[in-house]
Amino acid sequence: MSEYSFGPLLDGKWVDGEGPAFSTFNPARPGEVVGNYRSAGSGQIAQAGRAARAAQAKWRSLPAAERVKVVGRFLAEVERRSEPIARSITLEQGKPLAESRNETAKALGEAAAMAGHVLSGGTERMADARPGFRNMVTRRPRGVIAAITPWNFPILTPMRKIAPALMHGNAILLKPSEFTPATVCLIAEASEGILPPGLLQVLPGDGRVGAEMVALPEVSGVTFTGSVATGKRIYALGAQTLAELSLELGGKNAAVVNDTDDLDACLDQIAGAAFMCAGQRCTAISRVIVAEPLRQGVEEGLAARARAQRQGDGLDEGVTLGPLTSAAQYARVRDLVEAGRAQGARVVTGGEAGDDPERNGYFYPATILADVTPDMGVAREEIFGPVISVLSYRTLDEAFATLNAVDYGLTSALFSNDYRVIQRFVAESESGMLHVNHGTIPDNHMPFGGIKDSGVGAYSVGASAANFYTTEHSVYLKAG
Ligand code: NAD
């Protein structure tokens, strides 16, 4: 008996999927099945596209304030079900229950902030250029949105797409990760009787379902969060239909520690940003680039914080570090750390993969690697595990060169009280989000996204999401 059992949600009805069956497993006890699912078949994906278009045609004609009200009722129902939703996150993804509760609250907080943006946005009056003319720029819903999400934030990432899509007047087809579909299914259940059928549809399955959804002729916008490799495939697929794209990809985020009045507070921020979600966050701090005089204190302080983590089943009280989510993820973290060690990185703490993860769970210890140099894999590749690579510098030029010597550009942090260094960081750090004297936790109303290999297209969250979820129209009104 599994905890969850779902097929696709098509046009307001849960149906048996016509595609392959698949299961999810508890990463703390991989032998334990958590959910049994049936993927959407090709005919069902096509049907979802048609139902979405029909539902959107009616939905878009409602005033924005009315749409926001209806979505608000749906969000209130999600909130009422927060506890079973948080539990589903921990069961399939593995993070501690407290983090799952925070993730659920943050998803709802971002959605509430989005309501404000939608209600205050829309039409902008522009300067008139010719006598008798009134110029304005107005926005319309984009249409049908296809959304594809990863496994690390089973409610936050989907809700970041559902709330703006619906409030801005679109229909949305959602394909959750095949590792963590339960949470999206529970959210969709909460929409029953509140959202019109066809507006929010769920298509469980793997990459095949995602690719077929992207290619649907009804889809006019594709929002994807996941790895760079998959993002590139979706970019190529999107070229066939010329759908608008928003790709939110990986990161290799750094904290530069130049000077600080309070090293303990600084290291608390870094450790929190590195070990939350067992490091499986696109915004996790994965590199610490420290001024040489502070290096030893930083290494020792981070090692103490790594050792203080309580690792275990996320449902157990007091656990701060859950397992990695899958066998592939476990192997990836282990292999990257081993390669780093072989290249000369020094393990300050952690670094030992446990025995028999299929039996004992995908637990990887919080790990600090020192003596890391910018050319090593552990300094360049996204590890997506509870691992910090420490690099040191002697000059600021060296620090900035190291900071930017990666393909990614998602988020970065600087610890310094020197205004000249701060100014330089704000101007030169090649990342979409910049944090001075704190970790990398974003706010609910601020644009979220990255540059370089970390993203393409409009940022999500905040006002700039409108650039993806709506189309722009220049209007010239002349009295006849
Ligand atoms: P992934 O790319 O393997 O999968 C993401 C989603 O894409 C899944 O739903 C998967 O089924 C689907 N997919 C796979 N192949 C596809 C195809 N050919 N066509 C369409 N869909 C396809 O990523 P993941 O392992 O689930 O997630 C981890 C990655 O996500 C990390 O790189 C992480 O940094 C990134 N991420 C980025 C952000 C951000 O906002 N920038 C947030 C969270 C995670």
Side-chain angles (χ1 to χ4, degrees):
M1 242 322 257
S2 68
E3 188 113 0
Y4 308 107
S5 173
F6 287 100
L9 173 62
L10 287 185
D11 204 7
K13 291 190 196 69
W14 292 99
V15 297
D16 196 14
E18 290 166 3
F22 65 99
S23 300
T24 56
F25 303 88
N26 185 335
R29 288 182 296 281
E32 183 183 304
V33 174
V34 177
N36 288 315
Y37 304 89
R38 283 295 298 268
S39 318
S42 300
Q44 293 178 314
I45 298 168
Q47 187 195 337
R50 293 191 295 273
R53 178 175 275 175
Q56 198 260 339
K58 290 189 200 145
W59 179 246
R60 62 173 293 156
S61 65
L62 288 183
E66 184 59 27
R67 293 195 305 252
V68 168
K69 207 151 77 183
V70 174
V71 177
R73 289 214 302 275
F74 156 55
L75 295 172
E77 188 56 32
V78 171
E79 187 166 20
R80 215 177 57 75
R81 301 176 186 207
S82 287
E83 201 49 30
I85 286 174
R87 185 179 148 79
S88 74
I89 297 174
T90 296
L91 283 176
E92 286 190 333
Q93 198 278 339
K95 66 183 70 176
L97 189 59
E99 281 188 29
S100 300
R101 289 178 178 138
N102 288 343
E103 183 189 332
T104 306
K106 181 157 177 60
L108 290 165
E110 286 186 356
M114 186 54 66
H117 293 299
V118 172
L119 292 175
S120 60
T123 301
E124 203 182 339
R125 241 333 236 116
M126 308 298 285
D128 307 319
R130 287 172 273 178
F133 279 69
R134 289 272 180 274
N135 291 4
M136 64 180 86
V137 172
T138 187
R139 291 188 165 275
R140 297 184 192 155
R142 185 169 291 282
V144 174
I145 303 295
I148 299 171
T149 54
W151 43 261
N152 55 344
F153 285 97
I155 184 169
L156 186 64
T157 315
M159 194 56 100
R160 239 175 224 180
K161 303 182 189 305
I162 296 170
L166 297 181
M167 289 180 190
H168 279 297
N170 304 286
I172 183 166
L173 305 170
L174 187 67
K175 192 205 85 64
S177 166
E178 57 272 41
F179 292 100
T180 57
T183 309
V184 159
C185 295
L186 297 183
I187 295 171
E189 274 189 338
S191 77
E192 285 170 20
I194 300 174
L195 296 179
L199 213 54
L200 165 61
Q201 299 179 87
V202 178
L203 300 172
D206 59 11
R208 192 247 336 154
V209 174
E212 289 186 21
M213 204 173 78
V214 168
L216 286 173
E218 292 87 358
V219 165
S220 43
V222 177
T223 167
F224 167 77
T225 303
S227 63
V228 174
T230 309
K232 286 182 178 170
R233 278 188 211 114
I234 289 175
Y235 208 158
L237 272 177
Q240 303 304 311
T241 60
L242 290 180
E244 182 71 20
L245 283 173
S246 169
L247 307 179
E248 303 207 323
L249 310 173
K252 183 66 184 175
N253 314 297
V256 176
V257 182
N258 186 69
D259 58 272
T260 174
D261 291 344
D262 188 345
L263 187 61
D264 275 330
C266 160
L267 297 181
D268 284 345
Q269 289 283 316
I270 292 174
F275 300 142
M276 190 192 299
C277 200
Q280 301 170 111
R281 292 194 310 137
C282 56
T283 51
I285 290 180
S286 158
R287 299 178 292 154
V288 172
I289 303 168
V290 55
E292 183 54 37
L294 295 176
R295 183 182 53 79
Q296 196 181 350
V298 164
E299 283 174 16
E300 286 168 4
L302 288 176
R305 284 160 178 81
R307 288 188 205 103
Q309 297 292 322
R310 249 199 78 198
Q311 193 164 43
D313 181 338
L315 288 182
D316 290 348
E317 196 69 33
V319 163
T320 58
L321 189 67
L324 299 172
T325 299
S326 65
Q329 195 54 31
Y330 181 85
R332 178 184 165 77
V333 174
R334 182 197 58 205
D335 293 351
L336 273 164
V337 170
E338 278 312 313
R341 203 196 290 246
Q343 287 180 309
R346 173 168 50 90
V347 177
V348 184
T349 189
E352 295 297 333
D355 289 337
D356 200 357
E358 287 305 328
R359 218 178 119 102
N360 300 325
Y362 305 130
F363 290 104
Y364 196 88
T367 297
I368 308 297
L369 299 177
D371 302 343
V372 175
T373 52
D375 53 307
M376 293 181 187
V378 286
R380 309 178 76 88
E381 288 184 45
E382 183 177 49
I383 300 178
F384 235 51
V387 180
I388 301 178
S389 298
V390 182
L391 302 93
S392 66
Y393 65 88
R394 292 180 192 279
T395 67
L396 268 185
D397 283 348
E398 195 188 343
F400 279 94
T402 302
L403 173 64
N404 291 332
V406 292
D407 293 334
Y408 294 105
L410 193 59
T411 189
S412 56
L414 168 72
F415 291 84
S416 177
N417 290 314
D418 183 333
Y419 189 65
R420 290 163 304 183
V421 182
I422 294 172
Q423 242 183 358
R424 189 164 170 190
F425 173 77
V426 172
E428 292 181 26
S429 175
E430 294 172 356
S431 55
M433 296 172 284
L434 306 156
H435 299 261
V436 176
N437 288 320
H438 65 104
T440 53
I441 305 285
D443 283 336
N444 291 345
H445 64 295
M446 288 287 281
F448 182 101
I451 61 171
K452 297 167 74 177
D453 280 4
S454 291
V456 174
Y459 281 16
S460 62
V461 194
S464 45
N467 295 327
F468 173 75
Y469 291 101
T470 63
T471 53
E472 191 172 30
H473 308 267
S474 292
V475 181
Y476 302 84
L477 292 176
K478 180 175 175 292

